Every structure is written in structure tokens, then in C-alpha cells.
Amino acid sequence: MIFFIGALTMGFTTNYAFLMVGRFIKGIGVGYALMIAPVYTAEVSPASSRGFLTSFPEVFVNGGILLGYVSNMAFVGLPKHINWKLMLEVGAIPSVILAISVLTMPESPWWLVMQGRLGEAKHVLDKTSESKQEAEIHLSDIKDGTGIPQHCIDNIVPIPKRSPGEGVWKELLFRPSPPVPRIVIDAMAIHFFQQASGVNIAVLCSPNILEMAGIKSKNGLLCATMAVGFTKTVFILLATFLVDRFGRRPLLLTSTIGMILSLLELGTGLTIIDHNSDKKLIGMIALCIMAVLTFVASFLIGLGLITWVYSAEIFPLRLRAQGMSLLS
């Protein structure tokens, strides 16, 4: 509902202030989604494919960015006072599809156990686990995390009246057990470096970067930015298949090395073009385009994808939801 209202508010805007209100509304939806999607996926996924499935929110974020670039191309021929509004309004369509799809999704077994609904939690785990034994182990872990005795097997177990997550914030921030501060620092650090890597500049300002590299035509810039979106989508899909096979650490190291080299390549190319502004250096333009695409690809196979997977996995079950909310 938040995404839907935000998209329509931006699409029917009449002035800048109205546009920013719509952007603010949609930003609230983004905040919810960034926190809830990885937590929910981690709670319902079988252990063997948790990394693969937890990475899917990032897959569809990048798929959405690619669709945004495609919509730019689709609406570019329309009058200027209409095309950008249509581009924003079509964002309401995925939110309708999402709302219908959510109706078919099971509730998180962790949340069900917190409400004392063990029978329903066991039913969900039986459907989402690879075996009955794995479902029982997972249910046992959840009982430990919520403080429910292992011998409780009833469909509904009385839960003491308390606020949801009582004691979790205290354990996270004020009186943590010895491993928790390191977990919080690690999770917050990897999120900080994900944002500090400059990927938002590479994606959002790619038309400006490519224009500096020598691409002047509007269609050329749109095609180049579509190539950025296509690269993002392809490599995030590739990374989802590699994350469980090769592990988190090797992909993170490969990612950061690739980002360093591609940024050095881009800086060198732009410097040479800047010092030869009277000439059109086709080789340097191609080098800059490849550097942007390589930077985006390197980011996505490691730092872009694994940040959320890693964060969802290192927090203990009891602290996961609140821990992920700190990061969002």
C-alpha cells in the first residue's frame, strides 16, 4: 500500500513539494522492504539454500532499476510534461502484484512461535524444510530463542504478556553478551562500506560520467545507462548461484579487488580524455564504459549481494529482526 500510494503521488504531482511528498512516502516503503524481506526469507528458507534465497531481494532491486532504464527508453518519445509522470506512475503496478502475491505467503515460523502458535509454525516448517528432521531442528532452535520449553508441542501455547522483542534492544545495545558487540560492529561496518563504495554515484550518475567520457547524444546515453542496468541484473543473478557454492568471504574479496581496479581504470580514462578535450578518443571512451560496467559487476558479485545475506546470517535468531532494523 505504501509503494502504491507513493508511486501515484509522484505520478500525479503538480509541483516540486508534492513530488517530494510522494518520494518520502515511497522511501518509507523502501525502508520497510529492506528490513523485512531479508529477515522473512532467512526465517522461512531451508539452511542449504538460505544464501541463495536471501539474495533474491537484491536481485529484484536491480531488476527494477533495469526496468526503470527500459521505461526511460519507452517514454522518451512522449511529450516532456507527460513522459516522466508516466515513468513514475507505472511503479504502482508491481505494488499491486506484490499485494496479491503476499496473500499466498506463509507467516514466518519464528513469529508464529513468538505468538505461541506452535502447530502453525510446525506446519510452515514442514513445508519449507528439506526434511522432517530439519524442520524439527529448526523448531527446536526457535523454541530456545523464544524461551519456550522444548516439551511444549501443543498447537497453542500460552505466552506471557510482554511487548514484542522485550529485552532484545537491551541485549543488542546496552547489556550485550560478549559476541553481540562484534556482530553489530561487523554488520554495521559492511553496510557502511557498501554505501561508501561509490556505487550509487556509478549508477545514478552514470549518464553524467558517460557524458564526461565523450558520449553526447541522448539516445547514446540512454543505451549506455541501459547497459549499466543490464549488467547489474546479469551479475546479481550470477552471484546468487555462486554465493552458496563459493562462500561469502571469497566473493567479497573478489568484489573489492575488482572495484579497486575498475575505479583506477575509470579515473585514468577520464583524466586522459579531460587533457585531450579537443580530440575524440574512441579507445578511452570505450575504456570508461567498460570501467563503469566492471565496477558495477564487481560490486554486485560481492559487496552488493552478500551484505544482506551476511547480516541476516550472523545475528542470532532472537536478535535478527531488531538487528536488521538497525542496518536499514
Side-chain angles (χ1 to χ4, degrees):
M1 288 300 297
I2 295 172
F3 278 131
F4 182 78
I5 295 168
L8 291 186
T9 302
M10 289 191 295
F12 288 103
T13 185
T14 56
N15 54 53
Y16 178 76
F18 199 6
L19 176 66
M20 292 309 295
V21 168
R23 185 68 182 138
F24 177 79
I25 293 171
K26 199 150 190 181
I28 295 173
V30 172
Y32 271 95
L34 282 176
M35 195 279 280
I36 294 170
V39 172
Y40 175 84
T41 309
E43 289 178 349
V44 299
S45 302
S48 61
S49 56
R50 187 169 296 135
F52 173 76
L53 294 173
T54 307
S55 65
F56 260 69
E58 193 67 26
V59 171
F60 288 104
V61 165
N62 287 281
I65 292 172
L66 176 59
L67 288 176
Y69 290 141
V70 172
S71 73
N72 287 343
M73 290 292 290
F75 299 133
V76 71
L78 297 176
K80 288 186 178 179
H81 68 284
I82 294 175
N83 56 13
W84 65 273
K85 290 188 177 183
L86 281 176
M87 180 189 70
L88 295 172
E89 287 167 4
V90 295
I93 297 173
S95 63
V96 174
I97 299 171
L98 175 63
I100 296 170
S101 302
V102 166
L103 297 176
T104 68
M105 293 163 56
E107 184 54 83
S108 158
W110 172 262
W111 185 85
L112 289 170
V113 172
M114 287 181 64
Q115 306 307 307
R117 295 153 61 179
L118 269 61
E120 293 178 58
K122 187 176 185 305
H123 179 67
V124 172
L125 288 170
D126 286 341
K127 289 198 300 182
T128 58
S129 301
E130 294 184 338
S131 65
K132 293 285 186 181
Q133 183 180 9
E134 182 182 323
E136 291 174 3
I137 293 172
H138 196 173
L139 182 60
S140 176
D141 290 340
I142 297 174
K143 285 180 181 179
D144 285 340
T146 54
I148 293 178
Q150 291 293 339
H151 61 78
C152 290
I153 57 174
D154 297 334
N155 286 339
I156 299 178
V157 176
I159 298 293
K161 292 290 182 182
R162 57 183 181 181
S163 62
E166 181 182 351
V168 171
W169 288 112
K170 185 184 295 183
E171 188 174 348
L172 266 175
L173 301 175
F174 303 112
R175 294 182 183 175
S177 56
V180 171
R182 181 175 178 180
I183 291 172
V184 173
I185 291 170
D186 285 352
M188 295 186 74
I190 194 171
H191 276 264
F192 170 80
F193 286 109
Q194 183 197 50
Q195 297 302 314
S197 65
V199 68
N200 290 326
I201 295 174
V203 174
L204 299 177
C205 301
S206 56
N208 305 76
I209 296 171
L210 297 170
E211 188 174 5
M212 289 169 60
I215 302 175
K216 302 299 182 183
S217 71
K218 182 185 290 185
N219 286 337
L221 287 172
L222 285 173
C223 289
T225 51
M226 277 187 64
V228 173
F230 182 75
T231 300
K232 284 168 65 66
T233 304
V234 168
F235 276 87
I236 198 71
L237 281 170
L238 175 64
T240 60
F241 291 99
L242 299 178
V243 65
D244 286 321
R245 178 173 297 180
F246 292 102
R248 286 53 167 159
R249 181 180 168 85
L251 288 181
L252 275 174
L253 292 171
T254 304
S255 171
T256 50
I257 292 170
M259 291 166 66
I260 292 168
L261 295 177
S262 57
L263 285 178
L264 289 173
E265 180 185 340
L266 177 62
T268 302
L270 289 176
T271 301
I272 293 173
I273 289 172
D274 189 50
H275 284 78
N276 295 271
S277 54
D278 55 330
K279 303 176 184 178
K280 189 166 185 179
L281 305 175
I282 302 298
M284 287 298 103
I285 294 174
L287 180 71
C288 290
I289 294 172
M290 287 303 301
V292 172
L293 297 180
T294 304
F295 175 76
V296 169
S298 300
F299 173 82
L300 288 169
I301 63 169
L303 201 58
L305 175 80
I306 292 174
T307 295
W308 289 102
V309 176
Y310 176 83
S311 302
E313 289 179 338
I314 63 172
F315 281 104
L317 279 173
R318 172 171 162 74
L319 309 180
R320 182 176 289 158
Q322 284 80 356
M324 292 296 288
S325 70
L326 280 177
L327 308 175
S328 298

